[in-house]
Amino acid sequence: MTRPSRAVVVARREVLTAFETPVGWMVLAALPAASAAFFFVLGPFFAIGQADLRGFFSNLPWLLSLVGPALTMRSWAEERRSGADELLTTWPLTTSELVVGKFLGAAVVLALALAATGGIVATVALLGDLDAGAVVGGYLGAFLLGTCALAVGEFFSALTRSQVVAWIAAVAVLVALQLVGIAAGAEALPEAVRAVLLHLSLQTHYQPMTHGVVDLGGVLWLLALTGGFLAATGLVLEARREG
Amino acid sequence: MSSRAAADSAAASAVVVRDLVKRFGSVTAVDGVSFSVAESSVTALLGPNGAGKTTLIRVLTGYLLPDSGSVRVAGVDVLADPLEARRRIGYLPENNPLPLELPVDDFLRFAAGARGLRGAAARDAVHRVVERVGLAEVWRKPIGACSKGYRQRVGLAQALLGEPELLFLDEPTNGLDPLQVVEMRKLVRELGSEHTVLLTSHVLPEVAALAERALLVHRGRLVADQDLVAAEDAEATLEGLFLDLMREEVAAS
């Protein structure tokens, strides 16, 4: 059972905590700064001489794989290390309200960080005509992929007392979930395996969105992955009560 | 006792524990414990460190699941309906794990929200518990900047939010200075007239001063059940029980 109002209480506390500790501010500064650096300075943007955001959107999955887990690595590892989970889990809140609440709080910070990259989009828009559909699709894809990164981060946070361990494990899984797409290009592999690898890859479902093509199957896959990791987080927390 | 009579006595009891067992791997932390606690009383679980008191409290609050046995609090089965049970329990865990970076009022507002209180109702509830435990002075301070005594009161304040019938206090005076101990004991005694209080302690004089009844826990078992109201000298009675226990230990080894 998940009472939305209780999940919102937890989410609100997460958002406030993110900005009371430096994590929220750091993410809010780091995502646009790193995006801009890779896109304008290190990327071929000026060399190509086109008002094209594809470079920006293709960097985002890698950046979100680093930033997403940073927002959720704290959620359970730190509660457990400090013992605060003993209070949270004995208040009249269900496990799903806690898991979803913490996730929603992090998703709000993620949305703010993505919004903060709007300056890059605005700059490019000043230089030439932008494909609005690609921008909307790209941001939708980035948000869905980012929430997936949050869920993976929360899952590993529930498994350990160490935030650093949680972050590294989550980043590893998220990077792997993108590299499988490259592995799918290996011709030595059987066709069926390649198809599965390609479908597993986050990039497969994300890239079309950055061209303005939002495919329902892709959206559902990203949502299912997020939901799956959140459900697994709940199972880990429930299992912990066994002692 | 007939089953009817048993049901009646269970209804009048705020806590009913039956044949509770909790194991961690090969270690049996709680080993077949049964007891019940009357409404609006102060009962102490007394025992040396490592006796299983904290594990017992953690099972009672639903934080840990037992291997077998049953727990009812305020008539609610903790295993069957954990949410309803938690609504009726205020819990001060051992070592009082509070978010130190949060101001006292922000934390209590959060705790009130977790108990389903909103807007004016939440503000009033927080205000009431702040008055009740005496936190007005540190109200806006981060919890980390408060003294140990005040932190313990913050822990007590969150336990009181939502007016739970039961208060489970795990080592409520642990780590406090003598003056803070006196104040905390006064608070607990007052709360005992409005709530059913179950506390743990390894300090004999504390149990003698606070509790109407002491349950002696040793190696995960309940080894004595002592009424302290009827006892002429509560502390001496408890000391006697403890010494008997130690003698048995020595004899057994």
Side-chain angles (χ1 to χ4, degrees):
Chain A
M1 179 179 58
T2 310
R3 295 160 296 180
S5 61
R6 299 293 172 97
V8 167
V9 168
V10 177
R12 185 173 173 274
R13 187 64 257 158
E14 281 298 297
V15 175
L16 292 174
T17 300
F19 291 109
E20 280 155 4
T21 58
V23 177
W25 296 112
M26 280 167 68
V27 167
L28 223 52
L31 190 65
S35 295
F38 282 115
F39 181 50
F40 291 122
V41 184
L42 301 170
F45 175 71
F46 290 108
I48 293 173
Q50 272 184 356
D52 186 345
L53 277 169
R54 255 177 295 175
F56 162 68
F57 279 119
S58 67
N59 288 334
L60 268 183
W62 304 101
L63 293 175
L64 289 170
S65 298
L66 301 176
V67 160
L71 279 172
T72 43
M73 65 183 187
R74 188 181 197 280
S75 36
W76 292 106
E78 179 59 21
E79 305 284 18
R80 204 158 148 235
R81 199 196 52 77
S82 69
D85 66 320
E86 194 167 350
L87 272 185
L88 274 185
T89 58
T90 53
W91 282 347
L93 297 168
T94 63
T95 302
S96 61
E97 284 159 4
L98 287 166
V99 170
V100 171
K102 280 177 177 281
F103 167 77
L104 287 180
V108 168
V109 181
L110 172 75
L112 292 174
L114 281 173
T117 63
I120 297 168
V121 178
T123 306
V124 176
L126 284 176
L127 299 173
D129 282 338
L130 273 186
D131 177 355
V135 172
V136 172
Y139 269 117
L140 175 68
F143 182 70
L144 289 174
L145 196 140
T147 53
C148 197
L150 297 178
V152 174
E154 191 172 340
F155 170 71
F156 282 105
S157 183
L159 280 180
T160 167
R161 282 166 205 263
S162 159
Q163 296 189 46
V164 177
V165 170
W167 184 78
I168 292 173
V171 170
V173 166
L174 287 162
V175 167
L177 276 174
Q178 296 178 68
L179 292 182
V180 287
I182 297 171
E187 284 174 16
L189 292 171
E191 195 58 40
V193 174
R194 289 170 62 183
V196 170
L197 289 179
L198 201 61
H199 187 80
L200 275 176
S201 170
L202 297 174
Q203 293 276 359
T204 309
H205 308 286
Y206 170 76
Q207 286 300 344
M209 296 192 212
T210 67
H211 300 294
V213 181
V214 178
D215 155 49
L216 184 64
V219 171
L220 287 179
W221 168 245
L222 291 174
L223 288 176
L225 215 51
T226 303
F229 273 102
L230 291 181
T233 307
L235 290 178
V236 170
L237 294 173
E238 286 292 332
R240 176 133 332 123
R241 295 173 67 217
E242 305 282 349
Chain B
M1 201 192 288
S2 73
S3 63
R4 176 67 196 279
D8 283 351
S9 85
S13 298
V15 180
V16 183
V17 176
R18 287 278 167 265
D19 306 319
L20 207 62
V21 175
K22 178 66 193 171
R23 293 190 195 92
F24 298 108
S26 61
V27 178
T28 306
V30 176
D31 191 3
V33 167
S34 299
F35 65 91
S36 50
V37 170
E39 274 173 25
S40 301
S41 63
V42 180
T43 305
L45 292 167
L46 174 68
N49 289 327
K53 306 185 295 290
T54 293
T55 303
L56 191 50
I57 287 266
R58 283 179 169 172
V59 174
L60 263 49
T61 59
Y63 179 66
L64 289 175
L65 296 174
D67 287 275
S68 61
S70 70
V71 181
R72 294 180 78 82
V73 293
V76 180
D77 188 326
V78 174
L79 294 172
D81 194 353
L83 204 59
E84 187 54 39
R86 282 181 227 156
R87 203 168 291 148
R88 291 153 189 269
I89 297 171
Y91 176 36
L92 174 65
E94 193 183 18
N95 303 325
N96 194 16
L98 300 172
L100 300 180
E101 72 283 0
L102 280 194
V104 172
D105 62 340
D106 285 8
F107 171 67
L108 292 177
R109 206 70 67 75
F110 175 41
R115 290 198 173 263
L117 298 162
R118 300 259 168 290
R123 265 201 306 282
D124 291 350
V126 170
H127 186 74
R128 263 202 306 281
V129 295
V130 163
E131 290 285 304
R132 186 75 193 77
V133 305
L135 280 170
E137 270 176 58
V138 295
W139 166 239
R140 290 289 321 164
K141 266 198 195 176
I143 294 170
C146 295
S147 68
K148 185 97 208 270
Y150 274 124
R151 280 187 215 176
Q152 204 69 359
R153 291 189 202 191
V154 174
L156 204 52
Q158 65 78 24
L160 287 170
L161 280 168
E163 299 176 4
E165 290 138 271
L166 284 134
L167 288 178
F168 291 159
L169 313 175
D170 198 356
E171 302 274 2
T173 62
N174 209 7
L176 299 183
D177 71 31
L179 190 65
Q180 292 166 343
V181 168
V182 170
E183 289 171 347
M184 183 52 83
R185 283 184 189 168
K186 183 167 165 282
L187 257 175
V188 172
R189 214 173 293 126
E190 288 168 10
L191 291 171
S193 60
E194 305 150 26
H195 305 262
T196 305
V197 177
L198 183 65
L199 61 90
T200 73
S201 180
H202 59 272
V203 184
L204 295 182
E206 171 153 302
V207 172
L210 281 180
E212 293 150 44
R213 181 177 165 216
L215 301 168
L216 198 57
V217 185
H218 185 56
R219 299 187 175 221
R221 290 173 176 275
L222 216 58
V223 291
D225 181 346
Q226 180 64 48
D227 182 349
L228 297 177
V229 179
E232 212 164 284
D233 183 342
E235 201 176 328
T237 310
L238 289 174
E239 246 179 62
L241 279 173
F242 237 96
L243 286 176
D244 286 348
L245 198 66
M246 292 308 143
R247 246 175 249 128
E248 279 168 33
E249 276 283 278
V250 172
S253 67

mmCIF file of all heavy atoms in Angstrom, chain B residues 15-44:
data_model
loop_
_atom_site.group_PDB
_atom_site.id
_atom_site.type_symbol
_atom_site.label_atom_id
_atom_site.label_comp_id
_atom_site.label_asym_id
_atom_site.label_seq_id
_atom_site.Cartn_x
_atom_site.Cartn_y
_atom_site.Cartn_z
ATOM 1 N N VAL B 15 0.230 -4.690 26.117
ATOM 2 C CA VAL B 15 1.202 -5.476 25.357
ATOM 3 C C VAL B 15 1.029 -6.939 25.746
ATOM 4 O O VAL B 15 0.956 -7.254 26.932
ATOM 5 C CB VAL B 15 2.665 -5.054 25.681
ATOM 6 C CG1 VAL B 15 3.652 -5.887 24.874
ATOM 7 C CG2 VAL B 15 2.870 -3.572 25.432
ATOM 8 N N VAL B 16 0.892 -7.803 24.761
ATOM 9 C CA VAL B 16 0.838 -9.236 25.038
ATOM 10 C C VAL B 16 1.858 -9.935 24.146
ATOM 11 O O VAL B 16 1.770 -9.893 22.929
ATOM 12 C CB VAL B 16 -0.568 -9.818 24.766
ATOM 13 C CG1 VAL B 16 -0.598 -11.295 25.135
ATOM 14 C CG2 VAL B 16 -1.629 -9.058 25.533
ATOM 15 N N VAL B 17 2.834 -10.555 24.773
ATOM 16 C CA VAL B 17 3.902 -11.251 24.044
ATOM 17 C C VAL B 17 3.787 -12.740 24.356
ATOM 18 O O VAL B 17 3.661 -13.112 25.519
ATOM 19 C CB VAL B 17 5.291 -10.721 24.483
ATOM 20 C CG1 VAL B 17 6.402 -11.505 23.814
ATOM 21 C CG2 VAL B 17 5.421 -9.242 24.186
ATOM 22 N N ARG B 18 3.772 -13.567 23.295
ATOM 23 C CA ARG B 18 3.626 -15.012 23.499
ATOM 24 C C ARG B 18 4.745 -15.776 22.808
ATOM 25 O O ARG B 18 4.894 -15.680 21.589
ATOM 26 C CB ARG B 18 2.286 -15.489 22.927
ATOM 27 C CG ARG B 18 1.061 -15.097 23.740
ATOM 28 C CD ARG B 18 0.806 -16.031 24.912
ATOM 29 N NE ARG B 18 -0.163 -15.441 25.817
ATOM 30 C CZ ARG B 18 0.133 -14.733 26.914
ATOM 31 N NH1 ARG B 18 1.388 -14.566 27.265
ATOM 32 N NH2 ARG B 18 -0.808 -14.212 27.670
ATOM 33 N N ASP B 19 5.510 -16.525 23.602
ATOM 34 C CA ASP B 19 6.497 -17.500 23.066
ATOM 35 C C ASP B 19 7.396 -16.907 21.999
ATOM 36 O O ASP B 19 7.627 -17.510 20.955
ATOM 37 C CB ASP B 19 5.780 -18.736 22.493
ATOM 38 C CG ASP B 19 4.844 -19.352 23.483
ATOM 39 O OD1 ASP B 19 5.232 -19.418 24.667
ATOM 40 O OD2 ASP B 19 3.726 -19.739 23.103
ATOM 41 N N LEU B 20 7.879 -15.719 22.247
ATOM 42 C CA LEU B 20 8.659 -15.006 21.231
ATOM 43 C C LEU B 20 10.078 -15.580 21.128
ATOM 44 O O LEU B 20 10.767 -15.749 22.129
ATOM 45 C CB LEU B 20 8.729 -13.524 21.612
ATOM 46 C CG LEU B 20 8.899 -12.552 20.450
ATOM 47 C CD1 LEU B 20 7.710 -12.633 19.518
ATOM 48 C CD2 LEU B 20 9.048 -11.139 20.988
ATOM 49 N N VAL B 21 10.463 -15.871 19.886
ATOM 50 C CA VAL B 21 11.825 -16.351 19.623
ATOM 51 C C VAL B 21 12.427 -15.513 18.512
ATOM 52 O O VAL B 21 11.787 -15.285 17.483
ATOM 53 C CB VAL B 21 11.828 -17.848 19.202
ATOM 54 C CG1 VAL B 21 13.228 -18.292 18.819
ATOM 55 C CG2 VAL B 21 11.263 -18.723 20.323
ATOM 56 N N LYS B 22 13.652 -15.030 18.716
ATOM 57 C CA LYS B 22 14.359 -14.316 17.671
ATOM 58 C C LYS B 22 15.796 -14.807 17.623
ATOM 59 O O LYS B 22 16.516 -14.738 18.629
ATOM 60 C CB LYS B 22 14.337 -12.803 17.935
ATOM 61 C CG LYS B 22 15.100 -11.986 16.906
ATOM 62 C CD LYS B 22 14.438 -12.063 15.538
ATOM 63 C CE LYS B 22 15.329 -11.541 14.441
ATOM 64 N NZ LYS B 22 14.760 -11.820 13.105
ATOM 65 N N ARG B 23 16.175 -15.335 16.459
ATOM 66 C CA ARG B 23 17.540 -15.848 16.303
ATOM 67 C C ARG B 23 18.289 -15.007 15.291
ATOM 68 O O ARG B 23 17.719 -14.510 14.332
ATOM 69 C CB ARG B 23 17.511 -17.290 15.791
ATOM 70 C CG ARG B 23 16.947 -18.284 16.774
ATOM 71 C CD ARG B 23 17.167 -19.721 16.303
ATOM 72 N NE ARG B 23 16.302 -20.615 17.073
ATOM 73 C CZ ARG B 23 15.086 -20.971 16.686
ATOM 74 N NH1 ARG B 23 14.608 -20.567 15.531
ATOM 75 N NH2 ARG B 23 14.356 -21.770 17.443
ATOM 76 N N PHE B 24 19.586 -14.837 15.530
ATOM 77 C CA PHE B 24 20.491 -14.273 14.526
ATOM 78 C C PHE B 24 21.500 -15.362 14.206
ATOM 79 O O PHE B 24 22.408 -15.595 14.996
ATOM 80 C CB PHE B 24 21.208 -13.024 15.046
ATOM 81 C CG PHE B 24 20.284 -11.887 15.401
ATOM 82 C CD1 PHE B 24 20.070 -11.540 16.720
ATOM 83 C CD2 PHE B 24 19.631 -11.174 14.404
ATOM 84 C CE1 PHE B 24 19.221 -10.499 17.055
ATOM 85 C CE2 PHE B 24 18.775 -10.129 14.722
ATOM 86 C CZ PHE B 24 18.572 -9.791 16.045
ATOM 87 N N GLY B 25 21.319 -16.049 13.096
ATOM 88 C CA GLY B 25 22.189 -17.170 12.782
ATOM 89 C C GLY B 25 22.072 -18.229 13.869
ATOM 90 O O GLY B 25 20.967 -18.695 14.160
ATOM 91 N N SER B 26 23.180 -18.561 14.513
ATOM 92 C CA SER B 26 23.147 -19.601 15.540
ATOM 93 C C SER B 26 22.891 -19.022 16.936
ATOM 94 O O SER B 26 22.756 -19.750 17.904
ATOM 95 C CB SER B 26 24.485 -20.351 15.534
ATOM 96 O OG SER B 26 25.533 -19.442 15.823
ATOM 97 N N VAL B 27 22.817 -17.681 17.023
ATOM 98 C CA VAL B 27 22.609 -17.034 18.321
ATOM 99 C C VAL B 27 21.120 -16.802 18.548
ATOM 100 O O VAL B 27 20.429 -16.234 17.695
ATOM 101 C CB VAL B 27 23.346 -15.675 18.372
ATOM 102 C CG1 VAL B 27 23.093 -14.980 19.714
ATOM 103 C CG2 VAL B 27 24.824 -15.865 18.121
ATOM 104 N N THR B 28 20.607 -17.276 19.679
ATOM 105 C CA THR B 28 19.216 -17.028 20.026
ATOM 106 C C THR B 28 19.163 -15.824 20.958
ATOM 107 O O THR B 28 19.501 -15.914 22.129
ATOM 108 C CB THR B 28 18.593 -18.265 20.687
ATOM 109 O OG1 THR B 28 18.789 -19.374 19.810
ATOM 110 C CG2 THR B 28 17.106 -18.068 20.917
ATOM 111 N N ALA B 29 18.754 -14.683 20.418
ATOM 112 C CA ALA B 29 18.771 -13.435 21.193
ATOM 113 C C ALA B 29 17.557 -13.335 22.106
ATOM 114 O O ALA B 29 17.633 -12.807 23.209
ATOM 115 C CB ALA B 29 18.829 -12.234 20.246
ATOM 116 N N VAL B 30 16.421 -13.826 21.619
ATOM 117 C CA VAL B 30 15.204 -13.880 22.434
ATOM 118 C C VAL B 30 14.715 -15.320 22.380
ATOM 119 O O VAL B 30 14.501 -15.875 21.314
ATOM 120 C CB VAL B 30 14.122 -12.911 21.895
ATOM 121 C CG1 VAL B 30 12.836 -13.058 22.690
ATOM 122 C CG2 VAL B 30 14.622 -11.473 21.932
ATOM 123 N N ASP B 31 14.572 -15.913 23.569
ATOM 124 C CA ASP B 31 14.413 -17.361 23.632
ATOM 125 C C ASP B 31 13.122 -17.757 24.356
ATOM 126 O O ASP B 31 13.131 -18.085 25.530
ATOM 127 C CB ASP B 31 15.658 -17.945 24.348
ATOM 128 C CG ASP B 31 15.722 -19.456 24.237
ATOM 129 O OD1 ASP B 31 14.850 -20.035 23.573
ATOM 130 O OD2 ASP B 31 16.657 -20.033 24.812
ATOM 131 N N GLY B 32 12.010 -17.663 23.637
ATOM 132 C CA GLY B 32 10.736 -18.109 24.207
ATOM 133 C C GLY B 32 10.208 -17.199 25.295
ATOM 134 O O GLY B 32 9.885 -17.654 26.390
ATOM 135 N N VAL B 33 10.090 -15.925 25.008
ATOM 136 C CA VAL B 33 9.638 -14.953 26.012
ATOM 137 C C VAL B 33 8.127 -14.736 25.915
ATOM 138 O O VAL B 33 7.592 -14.559 24.824
ATOM 139 C CB VAL B 33 10.382 -13.604 25.817
ATOM 140 C CG1 VAL B 33 9.723 -12.504 26.626
ATOM 141 C CG2 VAL B 33 11.846 -13.757 26.181
ATOM 142 N N SER B 34 7.454 -14.786 27.069
ATOM 143 C CA SER B 34 6.031 -14.467 27.142
ATOM 144 C C SER B 34 5.800 -13.520 28.311
ATOM 145 O O SER B 34 6.343 -13.721 29.394
ATOM 146 C CB SER B 34 5.183 -15.720 27.391
ATOM 147 O OG SER B 34 5.353 -16.632 26.348
ATOM 148 N N PHE B 35 5.052 -12.486 28.088
ATOM 149 C CA PHE B 35 4.624 -11.614 29.198
ATOM 150 C C PHE B 35 3.519 -10.704 28.698
ATOM 151 O O PHE B 35 3.291 -10.604 27.482
ATOM 152 C CB PHE B 35 5.791 -10.792 29.767
ATOM 153 C CG PHE B 35 6.380 -9.779 28.811
ATOM 154 C CD1 PHE B 35 5.895 -8.473 28.783
ATOM 155 C CD2 PHE B 35 7.421 -10.117 27.947
ATOM 156 C CE1 PHE B 35 6.438 -7.530 27.922
ATOM 157 C CE2 PHE B 35 7.973 -9.188 27.077
ATOM 158 C CZ PHE B 35 7.467 -7.886 27.064
ATOM 159 N N SER B 36 2.818 -10.052 29.630
ATOM 160 C CA SER B 36 1.899 -9.011 29.202
ATOM 161 C C SER B 36 2.067 -7.812 30.118
ATOM 162 O O SER B 36 2.562 -7.931 31.240
ATOM 163 C CB SER B 36 0.454 -9.518 29.187
ATOM 164 O OG SER B 36 0.161 -10.142 30.391
ATOM 165 N N VAL B 37 1.670 -6.663 29.626
ATOM 166 C CA VAL B 37 1.866 -5.410 30.342
ATOM 167 C C VAL B 37 0.520 -4.716 30.462
ATOM 168 O O VAL B 37 -0.208 -4.591 29.465
ATOM 169 C CB VAL B 37 2.861 -4.505 29.564
ATOM 170 C CG1 VAL B 37 2.889 -3.108 30.155
ATOM 171 C CG2 VAL B 37 4.260 -5.112 29.565
ATOM 172 N N ALA B 38 0.185 -4.277 31.673
ATOM 173 C CA ALA B 38 -1.111 -3.628 31.913
ATOM 174 C C ALA B 38 -1.103 -2.209 31.355
ATOM 175 O O ALA B 38 -0.053 -1.579 31.250
ATOM 176 C CB ALA B 38 -1.412 -3.595 33.407
ATOM 177 N N GLU B 39 -2.298 -1.724 31.022
ATOM 178 C CA GLU B 39 -2.433 -0.365 30.501
ATOM 179 C C GLU B 39 -2.006 0.676 31.538
ATOM 180 O O GLU B 39 -2.159 0.468 32.739
ATOM 181 C CB GLU B 39 -3.888 -0.102 30.119
ATOM 182 C CG GLU B 39 -4.208 -0.560 28.708
ATOM 183 C CD GLU B 39 -5.685 -0.449 28.397
ATOM 184 O OE1 GLU B 39 -6.364 0.375 29.041
ATOM 185 O OE2 GLU B 39 -6.141 -1.200 27.513
ATOM 186 N N SER B 40 -1.514 1.816 31.046
ATOM 187 C CA SER B 40 -1.120 2.947 31.889
ATOM 188 C C SER B 40 -0.238 2.533 33.051
ATOM 189 O O SER B 40 -0.539 2.826 34.206
ATOM 190 C CB SER B 40 -2.349 3.687 32.418
ATOM 191 O OG SER B 40 -3.101 4.151 31.344
ATOM 192 N N SER B 41 0.820 1.809 32.735
ATOM 193 C CA SER B 41 1.770 1.425 33.768
ATOM 194 C C SER B 41 3.170 1.656 33.217
ATOM 195 O O SER B 41 3.338 1.868 32.027
ATOM 196 C CB SER B 41 1.586 -0.055 34.114
ATOM 197 O OG SER B 41 1.872 -0.844 32.969
ATOM 198 N N VAL B 42 4.145 1.639 34.117
ATOM 199 C CA VAL B 42 5.534 1.703 33.671
ATOM 200 C C VAL B 42 6.191 0.369 33.999
ATOM 201 O O VAL B 42 6.271 -0.024 35.164
ATOM 202 C CB VAL B 42 6.308 2.855 34.345
ATOM 203 C CG1 VAL B 42 7.757 2.874 33.855
ATOM 204 C CG2 VAL B 42 5.636 4.192 34.083
ATOM 205 N N THR B 43 6.603 -0.346 32.981
ATOM 206 C CA THR B 43 7.248 -1.637 33.157
ATOM 207 C C THR B 43 8.671 -1.549 32.619
ATOM 208 O O THR B 43 8.892 -0.919 31.588
ATOM 209 C CB THR B 43 6.473 -2.738 32.404
ATOM 210 O OG1 THR B 43 5.124 -2.709 32.838
ATOM 211 C CG2 THR B 43 7.080 -4.110 32.638
ATOM 212 N N ALA B 44 9.593 -2.158 33.326
ATOM 213 C CA ALA B 44 10.993 -2.112 32.881
ATOM 214 C C ALA B 44 11.470 -3.500 32.500
ATOM 215 O O ALA B 44 11.182 -4.477 33.183
ATOM 216 C CB ALA B 44 11.876 -1.558 33.987
#
